[in-house]
Amino acid sequence: MEITNQKFTIIVTGGAGFIGSNLCNYFLEKGHQVCCLDNFATGHRHNIEPFLKNPHFKLIEGDIRNLDTCRLAVNGVDYVLHQAALGSVPRSINDPITSNEVNVSGFLNMLVAARDAQVKRFIYAASSSTYGDSESLPKVEEIIGKPLSPYAITKYVNELYAEIFSKTYGLETIGLRYFNVFGRRQDPDGAYAAVIPKFVKSLIKHESPVINGDGLFSRDFTYIDNVIQMNELAMLTENPEAVNTVYNTAYGDRVTLNQMVALLKEYLSVYDSEISHVEVIYGPQRAGDIPHSLASVEKAKRLLHYQPQFSFSQGLKEAVDWYWNNL
Ligand code: NAD
């Protein structure tokens, strides 16, 4: 993915989280200056520990709900990669106020700070949850439904604010609608853990993973390296048609939850053959879950020249190897 030799200063908000720490790692390895702003609400110090001795890395421990902190963080920055947010649909159903404060007010603070600091571009983590109750498949960027959760509302509001900041203040923005991202460093623990790391951890412990529903819901699970590629392309594109818009950020294929578990068992059984005998338990359907999710990535291919490198099964193999060696 060698695009340019220029060195930039990049701020990754939420840089101690799953996606953020992978972005920090990637851009540090390419020799850029990277600043991480995080309050460790859901992120972990161990995710950024290896970067702390890198002179090109700076950590600002702070909260995006504080405008002064955001201003301090974006000072002298070329690109903002805004990842900080409270993820998880169930979390937002249990506590919509905090999700709104972080995901909407915090987002607005970052936009204001980025506008005033005259950054080159503001790239942010949007979400496939914005498709809401739309049943059309594959999802194309222009056709969305009504949101199905407070979280989905916050992520859609992000897009609306970004568009207004582009039109009103000339701030260049690009939103990346992530589809069920997975890979190294995604947190397997906690009530709001994502399904793949949670299931990997259960299987390694020979505990039955619990699928909500009959396992026939499907997802466009997206390996982290495809997401990194999209962030880099969004950052560096010089195509004026490619900015001030949103992109599906996915592989562009889908698997059911049942297929995902079967593949997990197959890959983990290489390390521990007992895992092939662990059975799945089926539980009740979860509120706010959409039945099927599949992205069209044609827009990203056309305007950003996106070429996803990892299919679901290739990514899952990488993730399983990482978890086996790191859990
Ligand atoms: P994560 O929880 O691992 O990372 C989020 C990071 O933001 C954490 O390090 C957390 O401590 C930090 N943070 C939270 N509140 C903060 C605050 N008030 N101030 C500063 N930092 C704060 O989650 P992730 O999976 O890496 O998600 C990153 C982004 O991608 C989020 O915006 C999320 O909504 C979005 N997203 C993720 C997925 C996915 O599948 N993982 C899908 C769609 C969208």
Side-chain angles (χ1 to χ4, degrees):
M1 213 196 298
E2 201 57 49
I3 299 178
T4 173
N5 287 325
Q6 265 185 289
K7 299 298 173 220
F8 298 111
T9 301
I10 301 165
I11 177 163
V12 181
T13 68
F18 157 50
I19 297 172
S21 64
N22 276 289
L23 290 169
C24 288
N25 189 36
Y26 178 79
F27 288 110
L28 281 171
E29 278 182 358
K30 296 202 95 179
H32 299 290
Q33 299 279 342
V34 175
C35 172
C36 159
L37 168 61
D38 205 298
N39 71 347
F40 296 99
T42 58
H44 297 288
R45 222 164 267 279
H46 58 76
N47 284 341
I48 54 165
E49 199 69 48
F51 319 143
L52 291 172
K53 43 186 180 306
N54 186 328
H56 292 148
F57 182 74
K58 183 166 89 173
L59 169 65
I60 298 179
E61 188 167 349
D63 197 312
I64 56 165
R65 286 170 289 185
N66 183 318
L67 179 58
D68 290 338
T69 302
C70 297
R71 289 195 189 283
L72 176 80
V74 298
N75 188 25
V77 156
D78 297 304
Y79 294 100
V80 177
L81 302 181
H82 179 60
Q83 312 300 308
L86 289 176
S88 158
V89 163
R91 183 204 308 274
S92 76
I93 292 173
N94 292 339
D95 182 3
I97 291 180
T98 312
S99 286
N100 192 78
E101 285 170 356
V102 175
N103 298 7
V104 177
S105 301
F107 184 87
L108 184 56
N109 284 339
M110 281 301 301
L111 275 179
V112 167
R115 176 201 66 187
D116 293 350
Q118 297 183 313
V119 304
K120 289 189 205 299
R121 195 168 291 157
F122 185 96
I123 293 128
Y124 61 96
S127 168
S128 61
S129 63
T130 292
Y131 290 104
D133 66 0
S134 161
E135 286 179 5
S136 68
L137 287 180
K139 309 292 184 197
V140 289
E141 285 82 350
E142 293 71 28
I143 302 171
I144 61 169
K146 282 202 179 299
L148 291 170
S149 66
Y151 172 74
I153 293 177
T154 68
K155 286 289 166 176
Y156 182 47
V157 171
N158 288 177
E159 294 187 8
L160 297 174
Y161 265 126
E163 194 178 341
I164 287 301
F165 268 64
S166 303
K167 285 188 179 143
T168 312
Y169 308 113
L171 176 69
E172 285 195 5
T173 67
I174 292 182
L176 301 177
R177 285 185 190 158
Y178 298 160
F179 280 66
N180 292 82
V181 187
F182 71 98
R184 58 193 174 271
R185 286 202 286 275
Q186 189 171 29
D187 196 346
D189 296 316
Y192 303 120
V195 63
I196 289 181
K198 191 160 83 177
F199 282 14
V200 170
K201 191 161 183 181
S202 303
L203 288 167
I204 288 176
K205 293 198 300 189
H206 296 181
E207 289 170 4
S208 292
V210 180
I211 289 185
N212 303 306
D214 58 11
L216 296 177
F217 276 18
S218 61
R219 293 287 178 266
D220 196 334
F221 289 110
T222 305
Y223 188 56
I224 182 68
D225 286 14
N226 298 332
V227 172
I228 294 172
Q229 184 192 150
M230 279 293 286
N231 274 273
E232 183 168 43
L233 293 170
M235 216 173 88
L236 299 180
T237 182
E238 290 177 357
N239 177 1
E241 267 183 65
V243 296
N244 304 330
T245 188
V246 296
Y247 293 94
N248 288 341
T249 297
Y251 181 68
D253 199 1
R254 65 180 165 136
V255 293
T256 66
L257 276 281
N258 286 334
Q259 288 169 324
M260 182 269 283
V261 176
L263 210 52
L264 269 186
K265 285 171 66 171
E266 182 187 322
Y267 291 159
L268 282 165
S269 299
V270 172
Y271 294 106
D272 173 359
S273 58
E274 289 292 305
I275 291 175
S276 60
H277 305 300
V278 180
E279 295 293 339
V280 170
I281 294 173
Y282 292 92
Q285 203 65 68
R286 249 180 11 177
D289 268 352
I290 52 170
H292 301 290
S293 184
L294 167 67
S296 160
V297 289
E298 292 313 307
K299 183 175 174 184
K301 284 182 174 169
R302 183 166 50 86
L303 292 173
L304 295 175
H305 306 297
Y306 171 55
Q307 290 180 318
Q309 301 294 307
F310 286 84
S311 67
F312 169 67
S313 56
Q314 289 168 319
L316 198 71
K317 178 89 183 54
E318 296 283 322
V320 161
D321 291 345
W322 187 87
Y323 281 113
W324 185 264
N325 291 308
N326 289 278
L327 269 191

